[in-house]
Amino acid sequence: MRLYNTLSGTKEEFKPICGNKVNMYACGITVSGEAHIGHTYQALIYDIIRKFLVKKGYDVTYARNYTDVDDKIIAKSKETGIPADAYAKMMIKKIDKVMAEMEVGEPDVWLKATENIENIIHFISVLVEKGHAYPTKNGDVYFSVESFPSYGRLSHRNTEDALNGVRIDNDEQKKSPLDFALWKSAKEGEISWTSPWGEGRPGWHIECSAMNKAAFGEQIDLHGGGRDLIFPHHENEIAQTEALTGKQFVKYWVHNGLIKVNGQKMSKSLGNSLLMSDLLKEYSNEAIKFALLQTNYRNDINITDDLFPDAEKHLYEFYKVFVTAKNSGIKIEGEYPEIDQNFDEALADDFNTALALSALFGYFKKIKSLISVGDQTAGNMLSQIKKTYSLLGLFTKDEEDFVKNYEKNHAEPIPEEITALANEMQNARLNKDYVRADALRAEIIEKGYTVMISKEGVTVKKV
């Protein structure tokens, strides 16, 4: 199995540090607001990576975090009047609900910054003792980037490039503009904890390092996150962790692409964030997954107006084949190993979900031809598709329900002209004018509709 390692900038053969044991960590959500499509995409990708590693026989422990204290959460607390800890808990509850609706798997280990304050303080204390960090008279603690000569190797930046890419604050007590906060002194009214440097709270970067060390020790196999986290967040994680341990922190760094909306970067400032709670009112969770996974995880995804509707339509066409097979007497059972083999080959090449999904169109074309001649091989293929692609969260629904719901939600309104013809046809039948009724039926069919008469009345459908 090969994956792209951001650290080396190349695809590498995947070999865990210890046998088949894999410790993996993915940066989770800063809970300053509800979950948007970017949050869900990232969670989906690392859930799939975890599941595929398990399928290939690795013993995986997957940890994920919630950042439940930071500047944005404190700002939201002041804006809403809700205490920061209560606000964070409220957001986590909403985010968990959305992820459950999306059927994204839970990690093996959930980590929260506020539950690791002692670990964070200890971590910072050791960095200060080793000369890699320094406290200020105001009670802040900064990491000294100068003390870590290999700083910048993940993002492939030199010091000058790093200076251009980092947000510079105006703290005159910093020894260098590149130095970053490990501990922030408390301002009046802010949530805080007692530390050797006074009341305060952790900086963002130190949280992941301390939680990783508490969960896994000094080294992990795979660390994931969005590409926007490479610098400075993941760069800073490497610096502070390796400065403390003297060992390589992460063997494989994996980063997913970002979400764009109609070509623009998704952001709150542009007002184009797509909240999952809104998307799930319009589309099935499988349609959202199908839409997102059609792009290789390392590339950016451009969400256009047609992306989710087209994905839903593709799934509808696929699900219709399952229904057709059942109605044709084909049993959806058995195996078709070639499908599973092709799927594994695609995901073993840097988790290429796009290639795995593109194969479906050929499979279903072949299945439809097999159904037409009553070949049970169609049932074997459909059964294998359900088993194999469930790893991506697809083909898990009841086939008939999916088809009916889609048709109900996408039914075109019947033109008044056709409705009038159908009613006239019904009246002709009631008057036993069957010649007139047949002529009206023929006219309705010619216009592209079918008409059925039952005790409930007349039903017209588009052909």
Side-chain angles (χ1 to χ4, degrees):
M1 190 175 82
R2 293 170 61 78
L3 56 79
Y4 184 87
N5 187 353
T6 306
L7 190 63
S8 66
T10 60
K11 281 187 186 179
E12 298 179 14
E13 192 70 25
F14 182 68
K15 293 182 180 179
I17 297 168
C18 296
N20 79 326
K21 176 63 184 171
V22 176
N23 289 331
M24 65 175 284
Y25 176 91
C27 286
I29 302 172
T30 297
V31 295
S32 56
E34 293 186 42
H36 56 60
I37 187 67
H39 295 139
T40 300
Y41 178 55
Q42 195 250 39
L44 175 63
I45 287 298
Y46 295 106
D47 180 38
I48 288 170
I49 289 175
R50 181 262 302 267
K51 286 174 178 173
F52 185 67
L53 290 172
V54 170
K55 182 181 181 185
K56 300 312 291 181
Y58 292 102
D59 177 15
V60 181
T61 301
Y62 170 39
R64 188 173 175 80
N65 80 301
Y66 273 130
T67 296
D68 56 349
V69 57
D70 87 327
D71 294 343
K72 292 178 182 178
I73 294 168
I74 290 170
K76 280 290 185 181
S77 170
K78 291 177 180 177
E79 179 185 319
T80 61
I82 302 170
D85 55 348
Y87 180 87
K89 288 177 182 176
M90 178 178 72
M91 285 298 110
I92 288 172
K93 189 174 181 181
K94 288 185 176 183
I95 293 165
D96 284 346
K97 180 176 182 293
V98 163
M99 292 299 178
E101 289 176 15
M102 276 296 295
E103 297 177 350
V104 173
E106 292 269 335
D108 301 300
V109 181
W110 267 120
L111 299 165
K112 294 177 183 175
T114 58
E115 295 174 358
N116 281 270
I117 298 298
E118 287 187 18
N119 294 327
I120 292 168
I121 291 173
H122 177 71
F123 200 113
I124 297 171
S125 297
V126 176
L127 287 174
V128 172
E129 290 171 12
K130 288 181 173 243
H132 291 290
Y134 56 92
T136 70
K137 64 181 181 181
N138 292 340
D140 300 307
V141 182
Y142 288 100
F143 182 87
S144 172
V145 170
E146 186 181 39
S147 74
F148 190 73
S150 61
Y151 188 83
R153 73 177 187 271
L154 178 69
S155 55
H156 309 291
R157 300 176 185 225
N158 57 34
T159 304
E160 185 178 338
D161 291 335
L163 269 172
N164 292 332
V166 72
R167 182 174 62 86
I168 306 298
D169 61 38
N170 296 319
D171 191 339
E172 295 178 355
Q173 297 180 64
K174 288 174 65 171
K175 294 179 180 179
S176 164
L178 271 179
D179 294 351
F180 55 89
L182 302 175
W183 188 260
K184 295 185 175 185
S185 56
K187 296 181 177 66
E188 186 177 350
E190 289 185 352
I191 186 170
S192 65
W193 290 265
T194 302
S195 80
W197 317 285
E199 290 293 311
R201 57 188 172 83
W204 175 35
H205 311 298
I206 194 66
E207 295 175 358
C208 287
S209 286
M211 288 188 288
N212 254 303
K213 190 172 184 298
F216 296 124
E218 295 179 336
Q219 294 178 293
I220 63 172
D221 298 282
L222 191 154
H223 193 315
R227 194 177 65 243
D228 56 331
L229 299 181
I230 295 174
F231 186 87
H233 183 53
H234 288 163
E235 196 73 74
N236 291 352
E237 275 194 66
I238 290 174
Q240 61 205 7
T241 302
E242 295 187 5
L244 183 134
T245 66
K247 298 178 182 179
Q248 182 177 354
F249 173 34
V250 176
K251 189 170 184 182
Y252 302 98
W253 284 93
V254 177
H255 292 94
N256 60 276
L258 307 180
I259 300 290
K260 295 181 178 179
V261 179
N262 292 318
Q264 287 187 307
K265 180 182 176 181
M266 189 177 70
S267 69
K268 290 181 181 177
S269 61
L270 293 174
N272 62 355
S273 292
L274 299 175
L275 295 181
M276 289 308 303
S277 55
D278 293 332
L279 283 173
L280 284 165
K281 292 173 185 175
E282 293 189 53
Y283 308 106
S284 69
N285 60 17
E286 289 198 11
I288 296 170
K289 290 175 185 177
F290 191 94
L292 297 175
L293 298 175
Q294 289 180 98
T295 300
N296 182 280
Y297 80 93
R298 287 195 290 118
N299 296 334
D300 291 345
I301 296 176
N302 186 31
I303 296 179
T304 62
D305 294 340
D306 296 330
L307 183 67
F308 297 119
D310 285 352
E312 194 96 66
K313 189 171 189 299
H314 287 317
L315 283 172
Y316 163 68
E317 296 294 342
F318 293 155
Y319 269 111
K320 271 205 309 185
V321 178
F322 282 93
V323 174
T324 301
K326 285 183 177 180
N327 292 340
S328 301
I330 299 289
K331 293 182 179 180
I332 300 176
E333 61 184 19
E335 297 179 346
Y336 198 86
E338 182 185 334
I339 289 175
D340 199 57
Q341 180 182 339
N342 292 343
F343 179 90
D344 283 2
E345 287 177 0
L347 266 69
D349 182 14
D350 198 28
F351 312 112
N352 195 340
T353 58
L355 180 60
L357 289 186
S358 67
L360 286 170
F361 295 92
Y363 295 151
F364 278 97
K365 182 178 180 180
K366 181 177 179 179
I367 290 167
K368 285 192 279 190
S369 66
L370 290 169
I371 291 172
S372 68
V373 294
D375 191 330
Q376 175 56 35
T377 306
N380 303 146
M381 291 182 72
L382 290 169
S383 175
Q384 189 67 63
I385 286 171
K386 284 180 73 72
K387 293 173 188 174
T388 296
Y389 282 83
S390 64
L391 189 144
L392 303 183
L394 302 176
F395 305 110
T396 65
K397 312 294 186 191
D398 179 89
E399 296 88 359
E400 291 185 0
D401 286 347
F402 191 98
V403 169
K404 286 178 182 176
N405 287 335
Y406 182 90
E407 290 178 347
K408 178 182 177 183
N409 293 332
H410 295 81
E412 294 182 15
I414 305 299
E416 291 183 8
E417 174 195 2
I418 303 300
T419 302
L421 288 172
N423 289 333
E424 188 178 345
M425 173 188 147
Q426 172 71 327
N427 290 331
R429 286 179 59 82
L430 290 173
N431 293 325
K432 298 184 179 181
D433 187 351
Y434 298 116
V435 174
R436 176 64 177 159
D438 289 344
L440 289 165
R441 181 191 292 275
E443 186 177 351
I444 292 169
I445 292 171
E446 187 180 346
K447 293 181 182 293
Y449 294 84
T450 61
V451 59
M452 293 173 285
I453 297 174
S454 64
K455 294 177 181 179
E456 288 73 31
V458 180
T459 303
V460 181
K461 286 186 178 182
K462 179 79 174 173
V463 175

